[in-house]
Amino acid sequence: MDINKVFVVGAGTMGNGIAQVCAQTGISVVMSDMSQDLLDKALKNITWSVSKFSEKGKISEDVDTVMDRIQTSSDYQAAADADLIIEAVFEKLAIKHEVFKKLDSVAGDKTIMASNTSAIPITEIASAVSRPENFVGLHFFNPVPMMAAVEVIRGISTSDETFQYGADFVRFIGKEPIMVNTDIAGFILNRINMVSNMEAMRLVEQGVATPEDIDKGMRLAFGRKMGPFETGDLVGLEVSLMAYTNVYEEEKDLRFYPPSIMRRKVLAGHLGRKTGKGWYDYNPDGSRKK
Ligand SMILES: NC(=O)c1ccc[n+]([C@@H]2O[C@H](COP(=O)([O-])OP(=O)(O)OC[C@H]3O[C@@H](n4cnc5c(N)ncnc54)[C@H](O)[C@@H]3O)[C@@H](O)[C@H]2O)c1
C-alpha cells in the first residue's frame, strides 16, 4: 500500500493508540490536538507504550526510531499533504463537524478522511465535508495497540475505492478489517455486545442469576477475558448507558432499551470502579470487596 503520511486529530486515548500503530508500521504521523500540553502528554503516553512493546520484543526497531516518525502540530495546515486523516476527537457531532470543516478546506482532493466514532453515523459526520465519497469509518478498539479488529464502515456516500482503501489500510498496519457494509447504529461488534450485555442485566434484574455467576460463566464457557459486569464496571455504567440509549433512540427497537436496573444504578451514582460501587463494590485501593 502506498501511504506515507497520516494526520491524527484528537490525541487522547484512541488517537494515541492510532498514532502509535501507524508509527510502528513505518508511517509518518502528525498528531493534532487543542494545545501543545495535550500533545506533549500524548507523546509521553505513546513513548511509554512503545517502550513496553520494545521490552517484550514485539517490535524490532528502537523506541526513538518509532517516536521520530511522530510529529505534533496544532495547525491543520499539516494535514494538507496527508494521505489519510483519522479523527478521534470527543464523541460530539458538533465538534466532529467543526474539525472536519476545517480539515476539508486544507486537505487534498485524494485525501481519505476517517472517523473513529463509536456510535455517530458515518454518513452524518461525512455531511461536513465536500467529498463524502472519500470518507469512511475506521472504528478501532481500546487499547488500540493490542486489539486486532478494526471495523471499516461504509457511509451512504462512501465510494467502493474508499471502502477498500479502509480495509487495505487496516491490514497494512497489521490489523484485521471487519467490514460494515451499511452505516448502522452501533456498527457490528458493539451492537451484538450490547444486546448480550443487556440480556445479562435483565437476568440479574429477574433474580435468575448473580453478576458473579454470569461473569464466571462467560469467562469459563465462552473464553471471555472478563464478564459483562466486570467490563461494565471498568467502562463506567453511565458511558454504556449513553451508548445504549443512542442506539435505542436511532432504532426505536426494544432490544436496545436499557434495563431499569442499569438506569437506576446510574441515577444512584453507582457508576462502577470510578465511584467504588457499580455491579460490584470496591475498596479505596480499587480491589473488589469480597
Ligand atoms: N475510548 C474508547 O474505548 C473508544 C473506543 C472506540 C472509539 N472511541 C471513539 O474515539 C473518539 C475519541 O475517544 P477517546 O476515548 O480517545 O477520547 P479522549 O477524551 O481520550 O480524547 C479525545 C481528544 O480529542 C481532543 N479534542 C477535542 N476536541 C478537539 C478539537 N476540536 N480539535 C482537536 N482535538 C480535540 C481532546 O483534547 C482529547 O485529547 C470518540 O469519538 C470515541 O467515541 C473511543
Side-chain angles (χ1 to χ4, degrees):
M1 179 175 209
D2 195 17
I3 181 159
N4 299 311
K5 182 172 171 186
V6 173
F7 186 86
V8 177
V9 54
T13 310
M14 300 303 285
N16 288 354
I18 294 166
Q20 179 182 341
V21 293
C22 290
Q24 286 181 184
T25 310
I27 304 170
S28 297
V29 180
V30 176
M31 226 176 19
S32 181
D33 206 299
M34 291 189 290
S35 72
Q36 195 54 46
D37 275 359
L38 289 165
L39 289 167
D40 290 343
K41 201 172 134 213
L43 286 175
K44 221 168 128 194
N45 289 340
I46 301 172
T47 306
W48 178 85
S49 181
V50 176
S51 310
K52 292 283 148 205
F53 270 68
S54 173
E55 278 164 28
K56 289 181 184 151
K58 288 187 179 165
I59 51 172
S60 53
E61 294 178 316
D62 59 50
V63 178
D64 288 345
T65 306
V66 174
M67 292 310 296
D68 281 348
R69 296 197 183 104
I70 305 180
Q71 310 297 316
T72 60
S73 173
S74 300
D75 182 359
Y76 286 172
Q77 205 55 47
D81 60 345
D83 301 296
L84 173 65
I85 292 172
I86 305 179
E87 169 274 314
V89 304
F90 297 142
E91 184 77 344
K92 288 258 173 353
L93 181 64
I95 299 177
K96 291 189 190 288
H97 269 183
E98 188 194 316
V99 165
F100 275 116
K101 277 188 185 136
K102 285 187 199 150
L103 287 166
D104 193 47
S105 65
V106 296
D109 290 359
K110 298 228 163 61
T111 304
I112 304 295
M113 295 191 185
S115 175
N116 181 51
T117 179
S118 316
I120 302 173
I122 294 305
T123 307
E124 201 171 6
I125 303 175
S127 69
V129 305
S130 55
R131 286 178 291 275
E133 63 276 16
N134 290 0
F135 200 103
V136 68
L138 287 179
H139 182 215
F140 290 80
F141 290 81
N142 187 13
V144 177
M146 310 298 292
M147 296 302 201
V150 181
E151 289 179 322
V152 180
I153 305 123
R154 177 175 210 148
I156 206 160
S157 307
T158 307
S159 69
D160 290 347
E161 293 74 22
T162 302
F163 196 41
Q164 185 57 45
Y165 182 99
D168 292 345
F169 169 73
V170 168
R171 286 200 192 90
F172 189 70
I173 58 170
K175 300 197 181 287
E176 277 300 317
I178 310 295
M179 303 307 278
V180 186
N181 298 318
T182 306
D183 190 9
I184 189 173
F187 311 133
I188 300 173
L189 303 177
N190 283 346
R191 192 175 166 105
I192 294 169
N193 224 16
M194 278 177 198
V195 175
S196 156
N197 290 349
M198 284 194 262
E199 184 59 16
M201 291 173 202
R202 288 190 195 99
L203 291 172
V204 169
E205 196 166 44
Q206 291 161 17
V208 176
T210 59
E212 285 88 347
D213 272 356
I214 293 177
D215 279 344
K216 186 167 61 181
M218 296 299 280
R219 277 188 267 108
L220 299 182
F222 296 136
R224 297 264 185 112
K225 285 208 180 100
M226 292 169 83
F229 298 102
E230 292 157 339
T231 311
D233 274 359
L234 196 65
V235 172
L237 273 73
E238 84 291 12
V239 175
S240 305
L241 180 64
M242 171 93 79
Y244 300 172
T245 306
N246 286 342
V247 174
Y248 173 74
E249 286 301 328
E250 170 125 351
E251 302 277 308
K252 297 289 187 291
D253 178 337
L254 283 175
R255 283 180 303 164
F256 300 106
Y257 191 63
S260 169
I261 189 171
M262 183 193 206
R263 289 181 280 122
R264 292 289 174 272
K265 278 183 179 287
V266 171
L267 288 177
H270 299 173
L271 307 181
R273 283 179 177 269
K274 66 181 89 166
T275 59
K277 200 174 178 61
W279 297 106
Y280 298 105
D281 291 340
Y282 298 87
N283 295 308
D285 69 358
S287 61
R288 212 161 96 190
K289 284 188 184 165
K290 294 285 170 222

